[in-house]
Amino acid sequence: MARVSQEHLDARRRQILDGAALCFARNGFHATSMQDVLKEVDLSAGAVYRYFSGKEELIAAIVTEVLQEVGNAFETAGEQNPPPPPDVIVGEVMGRMMGLRPGLTHEGAAIYPRLIVQVWGETLRDPELSKVLNSGYAKIREPWVLLVERYQEAGMMRADVSAESVARTMIAAAQGFVAQMALFGAAPVEVLQDGLRGLMSMGAPVRSDESGAQAG
């Protein structure tokens, strides 16, 4: 009997993950059964359970994969010298995330915003998934902190603010944009980039007496 190639095994695992992701994005985790996943991927229970023991393992695998991709994107962007400004890096990372599995869409939009928001909710009741998400978040935050420190060393960003605080805030901006897309509809990444550029352009306010003195 011929051995199944690793390429075939990887393709089958990919097929199952993509099908499960579509089901979860459409109907949510709790409304999706393993039978729904089997129907989506058109495989037998034995074929699917060879790779994943159930919904929880499928969800964890999808979350781990997305976090890994986002973490890799941050690290790649951070290796550039000099590092591009935050709006450019966030745009690159968001674009890479939205471009994951381009064939996976729901009502014409990429599924990942819907999927990510559901994952956040699920972590509130699932301790094991919470561990996966927290571990992935830490791996994303670490390269961002290092990147902020590089900005500060290069004089591109004020150095009297905690690099940790800046990193968490930039990640929060990306997370907020994902939530907006999930709740209110798709938007181009350029919207987030433009907004960040606007915020980054703010300087110290000019007081009215200074304004008058300058005019005089």
Side-chain angles (χ1 to χ4, degrees), residues 127-199:
E128 291 304 313
L129 185 59
S130 180
K131 290 179 183 177
V132 171
L133 193 65
N134 274 276
S135 174
Y137 177 70
K139 291 177 181 177
I140 292 172
R141 190 176 67 246
E142 288 170 8
W144 250 111
V145 171
L146 295 175
L147 185 61
V148 172
E149 290 174 348
R150 289 182 62 197
Y151 288 146
Q152 293 172 333
E153 292 168 0
M156 299 170 64
M157 184 178 290
R158 55 188 294 176
D160 61 338
V161 177
S162 162
E164 172 81 14
S165 297
V166 177
R168 290 176 68 102
T169 300
M170 295 306 301
I171 295 170
Q175 291 173 322
F177 192 66
V178 167
Q180 285 190 7
M181 287 192 288
L183 296 172
F184 309 123
V189 173
E190 288 76 16
V191 172
L192 176 60
Q193 290 183 296
D194 288 345
L196 289 173
R197 275 193 292 271
L199 291 172

Side-chain angles (χ1 to χ4, degrees), residues 20-189:
L22 280 170
C23 288
F24 295 146
R26 281 197 302 257
N27 303 315
F29 295 134
H30 295 289
T32 298
S33 66
M34 282 302 290
Q35 193 62 40
D36 294 326
V37 175
L38 298 179
K39 183 177 180 181
E40 180 71 33
V41 299
D42 194 24
L43 292 173
S44 68
V48 172
Y49 285 113
R50 176 179 182 180
Y51 296 86
F52 302 99
S53 62
K55 276 201 311 183
E56 289 72 19
E57 193 170 326
L58 274 167
I59 295 167
I62 292 168
V63 171
T64 299
E65 183 177 67
V66 173
L67 288 172
Q68 182 65 50
E69 189 67 27
V70 172
N72 290 343
F74 273 124
E75 289 180 4
T76 299
E79 289 170 355
Q80 300 177 51
N81 191 22
D87 60 300
V88 174
I89 288 188
V90 171
E92 289 178 357
V93 172
M94 289 294 293
R96 187 162 166 174
M97 187 199 75
M98 296 303 293
L100 287 175
R101 317 303 301 160
L104 299 183
T105 61
H106 174 70
E107 297 180 350
I111 66 169
Y112 283 103
R114 291 174 60 92
L115 205 54
I116 289 170
V117 169
Q118 292 182 55
V119 167
W120 292 339
E122 190 69 9
T123 58
L124 300 178
R125 59 163 294 278
D126 187 334
E128 291 304 313
L129 185 59
S130 180
K131 290 179 183 177
V132 171
L133 193 65
N134 274 276
S135 174
Y137 177 70
K139 291 177 181 177
I140 292 172
R141 190 176 67 246
E142 288 170 8
W144 250 111
V145 171
L146 295 175
L147 185 61
V148 172
E149 290 174 348
R150 289 182 62 197
Y151 288 146
Q152 293 172 333
E153 292 168 0
M156 299 170 64
M157 184 178 290
R158 55 188 294 176
D160 61 338
V161 177
S162 162
E164 172 81 14
S165 297
V166 177
R168 290 176 68 102
T169 300
M170 295 306 301
I171 295 170
Q175 291 173 322
F177 192 66
V178 167
Q180 285 190 7
M181 287 192 288
L183 296 172
F184 309 123
V189 173

